[in-house]
Amino acid sequence: MIETGFRLTCKVNGQHISLKVPPALRLMDLLRSGMGLTGVKPGCEVGRCGSCMVLVDGEPMNACLLMAYQCQGKHIVTIEGVGETGLHPVQQALLEQGGLQCGYCTPGMVISLKALFDRTPVPTREMIQEAISGNLCRCTGYEGIIKAALYLSARNSAAGEQVL
């Protein structure tokens, strides 16, 4: 019999996993169906909407475009792994500044903004706009999301954070 599975060993939200996965399994399907991490949302399923955004070794990536085997040895963070002990500052800023509407795009927006703030604690409006350019929101028109990110940027600046 021909072996058709692949042993995937990686970290998901800080937990080591080792699973046998089919070679054609998308990361999005593994996370949602195989692991119950439903914050990874199916949207366009062709990498245009950002609703399935995850961090892979700190970089935002569309889980619908990644095969599970491509994550061998990587560290994946989903929205469930962000702010596990309380709201992450990006989540708190979105909540406080009215950057939320229906919530479908929110996990992907948080992931994209978290990646930006991890690299650059005090980003500019242009940097924020670029960071979320791969995330579609049909409710807010983005201004509430950008306002929340600018609020966090200003708060970080007041706290003495430095641009990396």
Side-chain angles (χ1 to χ4, degrees), residues 5 61 104 145:
M61 296 191 178
Y104 200 84
I145 296 163

Side-chain angles (χ1 to χ4, degrees), residues 31-157:
L31 294 171
R32 285 185 60 80
S33 300
M35 300 182 73
L37 298 171
T38 56
V40 179
K41 306 285 187 209
C44 69
E45 300 198 32
V46 293
R48 292 185 181 156
C49 73
S51 63
C52 66
M53 197 73 69
V54 296
L55 294 175
V56 179
D57 288 344
E59 293 299 318
M61 296 191 178
N62 292 305
C64 70
L65 297 179
L66 286 171
M67 303 309 288
Y69 75 83
Q70 291 176 292
C71 296
Q72 177 66 23
K74 306 285 187 187
H75 185 193
I76 300 156
V77 177
T78 68
I79 191 65
E80 291 88 351
V82 174
E84 287 182 325
T85 59
L87 291 179
H88 184 276
V90 168
Q91 293 169 311
Q92 188 66 42
L94 286 167
L95 181 63
E96 289 175 11
Q97 298 298 309
L100 305 169
Q101 292 261 329
C102 83
Y104 200 84
C105 73
T106 302
M109 290 287 184
V110 169
I111 292 289
S112 294
L113 289 170
K114 179 186 180 323
L116 171 65
F117 279 93
D118 285 350
R119 287 188 313 272
T120 309
V122 185
T124 64
R125 180 183 190 89
E126 292 75 24
M127 295 166 86
I128 293 164
Q129 288 172 319
E130 176 66 25
I132 64 170
S133 66
N135 300 82
L136 295 180
C137 176
R138 294 179 184 219
C139 298
T140 68
Y142 301 94
E143 202 51 43
I145 296 163
I146 293 167
K147 176 183 166 190
L150 287 170
Y151 167 80
L152 180 56
S153 181
R155 200 170 76 196
N156 288 348
S157 178

